[in-house]
Amino acid sequence: MLDLFADEAPWSEPLAPGAVVLRRLARDSSDALLAAVAQVATVSPFRHMVTPGGYTMSVAMTNCGSLGWSTDSRGYCYAAIDPLTGHPWPAIPAVFLTLAKTAASQAGYPEFSPDACLINRYQPGAKLSLHQDKDEARLDAPIVSVSLGLPATFQFGGLNRSDPLQRVWLEHGDVVVWGGESRLFYHAILPLKAGSHPQVGAWRYNLTFRRAAQ
């Protein structure tokens, strides 16, 4: 069921040492967030990236910020130029920055200042395999992950790929922040189930804020 507690104020749920789920934190700003996503995509369109192993990712991606995450046959990297357009990535919208800093501060990371935001677009069946976020230069900075649209099951593990996985149901407006002891914990998104969200339709968007440069 979507937005089961839609009328309740945002609240927080501990997830792991250094990690927390901030329920509904982005709900009230979701219209502005989604409008900003559309603006970013007009400059740097969504695309399905290909991994070094030749796998086409089921999740469509774009970026904003001074650096953008990308992957190709040579590996994973951050770059200032969008390889699809040949131009710099769009700047991080002000509404994005406000939310990212607010969420990080509430989670115990008041100095967070992201320079990269990876935007993922999921359609039914799309998923994100178990991985670590470890391409960033500043591993002392947290990750801030915002869910918009259809709900999804987030898996959150440990420092080893074989560690037990928690399953966390994420709905529209939920924000997950992890850093400190859990900064390099493995995580994933299970295949998205079909549905229709009143604001987003048959999609899920995820905004992932990082500090990529020193």
Side-chain angles (χ1 to χ4, degrees):
M1 182 180 296
L2 289 174
D3 298 329
L4 183 61
F5 304 103
D7 293 331
E8 293 194 14
W11 72 94
S12 64
E13 297 174 3
L15 181 59
V20 64
V21 183
L22 303 172
R23 297 289 185 185
R24 306 292 185 271
L25 184 67
R27 183 189 59 191
D28 289 345
S29 59
S30 61
D31 284 340
L33 293 168
L34 290 165
V37 168
Q39 291 173 354
V40 168
T42 63
V43 178
S44 287
F46 283 98
R47 76 293 308 260
H48 291 272
M49 297 183 185
V50 179
T51 69
Y55 170 73
T56 299
M57 300 183 71
S58 61
V59 176
M61 298 180 173
T62 188
N63 291 274
C64 56
S66 57
L67 294 172
W69 184 86
S70 187
T71 176
D72 58 25
S73 60
R74 295 168 294 179
Y76 307 110
C77 68
Y78 280 96
I81 301 298
D82 179 350
L84 183 65
T85 67
H87 298 292
W89 298 101
I92 298 178
V95 66
F96 280 20
L97 285 173
T98 297
L99 175 61
K101 292 181 178 182
T102 297
S105 182
Q106 290 191 17
Y109 305 97
E111 304 302 321
F112 182 53
S113 181
D115 58 4
C117 176
L118 174 62
I119 307 174
N120 292 335
R121 186 183 68 194
Y122 294 77
Q123 62 186 22
K127 64 180 182 178
L128 204 59
S129 299
L130 196 65
H131 68 284
Q132 295 170 298
D133 289 343
K134 59 182 181 180
D135 299 318
E136 299 74 31
R138 290 286 303 274
L139 296 179
D140 59 323
I143 301 291
V144 176
S145 178
V146 182
S147 293
L148 298 169
L150 289 177
T153 300
F154 177 63
Q155 292 184 305
F156 197 67
L159 288 173
N160 301 301
R161 184 179 290 274
S162 59
D163 287 341
L165 295 170
Q166 299 183 62
R167 288 193 173 194
V168 183
W169 183 248
L170 296 178
E171 291 186 312
H172 179 72
D174 290 342
V175 181
V176 184
V177 183
W178 65 96
E181 292 182 46
S182 61
R183 174 59 179 77
L184 289 175
F185 279 15
Y186 278 89
H187 53 282
I189 290 288
L190 293 182
L192 188 71
K193 294 183 179 180
S196 181
H197 189 273
Q199 284 177 276
V200 186
W203 305 94
R204 174 182 186 262
Y205 291 93
N206 176 250
L207 316 177
T208 304
F209 297 92
R210 296 117 178 236
R211 182 71 190 182
Q214 287 287 357

